[in-house]
Amino acid sequence: MEITIVIVSYQAKYFLEQTLRSAIEAVEGLDCEIIVVDNNSGDGTAAWVRERFGQQVRLIENKHNVGFGRANNQAIAQARGRYTLILNPDTIVTRSCLQSCCQWMASHPECGAIGVHMIDGDGHFLPESKRAFPTPWVSFCKIFGLSRLFPRSRWLAKYHLRYLDEREPHAVDILSGAFMFCRTSLLQQVGGFDEDFFMYGEDIDLSYRLVKAGYQNWYVPASIVHYKGESTRKESMRYVKVFYEAMLIFYRKHFPRYRAVFYPVIKLGVWMRQSLAMARRALGVPASGSKPQASPGQWVVLSRHAQEVARQCHIERYSTCIPASGETQVIVDDGSYSYGHIVQLIDSKARRGLHWHIYSSRNGIVISPKMQQP
């Protein structure tokens, strides 16, 4: 078997269906398997997957939320593919992406895992696609905002490696857990994810252990869409607390000699970030990563049945061509375009003010970067 795709899901039913349909399209004709681990979503996800995908997907149902790492390990232990793809349930993957990863692995025996060019739902590059090891200096620059102030500096902005061309392949340190294409034998050899991490940090730890095992991690510029967990606000107090607690676990494990110096720095960083989040909330200031609420602008419907899709979406006036400028909302019908074509459109036409939504022809709903799951 060529590829095992592992998807851990928690309360992301409609995003998950889109991810599964894109994955099934991507592996058509290949000897592959797809395993979904549902972490007790409580929203009917397991029954939904059984009803809609049947034998196309192997389902593991957990009775409670065991965390990202442990849930992935349940599937990794059963993986039969030469390669295992760890994939988030809010992504759109393409055949060309998987082909690029397989070809890169075959021609680079020193490569243990691959990350790719991830774009958000509006086509903007996600910098966590490639990162450096969070050494004390790299972490200090991130915690205290130096990497954001000097994003192209090789000295101050190593965390996201923004000075590396996003359209070129590079050997990098850290890959994102939203898409990690790994050699299955190596993944099982190193024991999969460290289950001490419940959420955040597992991908950093695994990437570090793959390199310690003598392999390289590579960034390959093949594009996927990653909605980036829209329910998680990066400036929230909860995110700050959970993320930096994960960093403390990482340092206790891999850099114990820095404990006396680095722990107080981490604690200070957490206190500063939480204080900033509290101040923003008290003053009603939007988080730095949030988007302003703009007027909808003009609508574009891309579909062989544009009139029907517009009617279903309650849109009275629309165009069928994407303008070169201006605030524009684009609805693309997944019944008229393949997911590979949709990702290509979002990637190639990204610009300021252009917002993408995917009409799910099977469900009659719109999958949007800002949608709230029921």
Side-chain angles (χ1 to χ4, degrees):
M1 185 171 288
E2 190 71 7
I3 304 171
T4 296
I5 299 178
V6 175
I7 305 170
V8 172
S9 181
Y10 180 71
Q11 296 184 348
K13 185 165 61 177
Y14 293 112
F15 283 121
L16 173 63
E17 180 176 10
Q18 184 172 261
T19 299
L20 286 172
R21 295 202 182 279
S22 74
I24 289 169
E25 175 188 295
V27 302
E28 184 177 359
L30 300 176
D31 188 12
C32 300
E33 63 178 352
I34 301 174
I35 305 175
V36 171
V37 185
D38 181 57
N39 258 341
N40 193 30
S41 293
D43 61 356
T45 292
W48 177 277
V49 170
R50 280 196 303 270
E51 175 189 345
R52 302 215 166 196
F53 296 96
Q55 299 302 311
Q56 292 177 294
V57 172
R58 193 142 47 105
L59 179 64
I60 299 174
E61 296 182 63
N62 286 329
K63 300 304 181 185
H64 60 280
N65 187 350
V66 300
F68 178 81
R70 182 174 297 180
N72 269 295
N73 286 347
Q74 290 175 270
I76 290 169
Q78 302 177 25
R80 297 175 294 170
R82 177 185 306 175
Y83 307 119
T84 293
L85 170 59
I86 306 298
L87 189 65
N88 261 31
D90 58 348
T91 56
I92 305 176
V93 68
T94 70
R95 186 177 185 84
S96 62
C97 176
L98 297 186
Q99 288 175 333
S100 295
C101 291
C102 288
Q103 291 167 3
W104 192 270
M105 281 289 195
S107 60
H108 294 77
E110 76 286 356
C111 177
I114 294 172
V116 294
H117 182 268
M118 298 192 299
I119 56 177
D120 67 15
D122 286 335
H124 305 299
F125 177 66
L126 296 174
E128 58 265 34
S129 299
K130 48 181 175 59
R131 289 171 287 172
F133 287 133
T135 61
W137 172 247
V138 170
S139 299
F140 178 87
C141 292
K142 174 177 170 54
I143 292 170
F144 291 97
L146 296 176
S147 57
R148 179 178 293 183
L149 289 173
F150 305 97
R152 300 296 173 183
S153 169
R154 289 179 176 268
W155 187 48
L156 299 174
K158 291 184 71 67
Y159 188 82
H160 282 134
L161 301 172
R162 292 177 186 268
Y163 50 83
L164 296 180
D165 189 340
E166 70 188 60
R167 295 294 181 179
E168 296 293 332
H170 301 281
V172 297
D173 295 331
I174 303 298
L175 307 176
S176 170
F179 184 107
M180 293 184 77
F181 191 90
C182 311
R183 296 186 189 275
T184 301
S185 58
L186 176 61
L187 193 57
Q188 293 173 343
Q189 173 191 322
V190 301
F193 290 97
D194 185 335
E195 297 177 9
D196 285 344
F197 297 86
F198 183 82
M199 184 173 65
Y200 304 121
E202 307 97 326
D203 49 1
I204 297 175
D205 175 77
L206 178 57
S207 297
Y208 187 77
R209 287 186 287 119
L210 293 176
V211 171
K212 286 183 68 176
Y215 288 81
Q216 291 181 337
N217 296 323
W218 277 84
Y219 165 81
V220 174
S223 294
I224 70 163
V225 169
H226 174 30
Y227 288 106
K228 201 182 175 184
E230 288 293 339
S231 61
T232 301
R233 299 298 175 209
K234 297 287 185 176
E235 301 290 338
S236 71
M237 291 185 290
R238 176 177 176 271
Y239 167 78
V240 170
K241 182 175 185 295
V242 173
F243 180 81
Y244 287 107
E245 282 179 353
M247 292 300 296
L248 289 176
I249 296 173
F250 179 82
Y251 269 88
R252 280 198 298 268
K253 180 177 179 181
H254 297 294
F255 296 93
R257 64 184 180 277
Y258 291 109
R259 180 170 183 165
V261 175
F262 195 73
Y263 279 25
V265 174
I266 286 279
K267 293 293 187 182
L268 177 61
V270 171
W271 179 82
M272 288 179 59
R273 289 296 185 92
Q274 288 184 324
S275 298
L276 180 61
M278 291 177 65
R280 286 183 180 278
R281 181 177 298 178
L283 296 172
V285 178
S288 59
S290 63
K291 298 179 181 179
Q293 296 298 313
S295 59
Q298 57 187 316
W299 288 92
V300 173
V301 178
L302 303 180
S303 172
R304 291 195 300 267
H305 313 284
Q307 187 173 357
E308 175 61 20
V309 171
R311 186 183 68 80
Q312 291 285 346
C313 298
H314 308 288
I315 298 172
E316 295 182 0
R317 299 183 63 183
Y318 64 91
S319 171
T320 56
C321 297
I322 300 174
S325 62
E327 198 72 20
T328 306
Q329 309 289 335
V330 181
I331 295 180
V332 56
D333 177 14
D334 70 2
S336 299
Y337 292 86
S338 69
Y339 286 106
H341 194 174
I342 291 172
V343 172
Q344 184 182 28
L345 281 171
I346 296 174
D347 189 24
S348 63
K349 295 186 177 296
R351 65 164 173 80
R352 187 178 182 85
L354 186 62
H355 310 288
W356 291 85
H357 318 273
I358 299 176
Y359 178 74
S360 172
S361 57
R362 296 168 183 84
N363 301 309
I365 64 171
V366 173
I367 308 296
S368 169
K370 292 297 181 183
M371 77 175 288
Q372 295 296 315
Q373 289 281 351

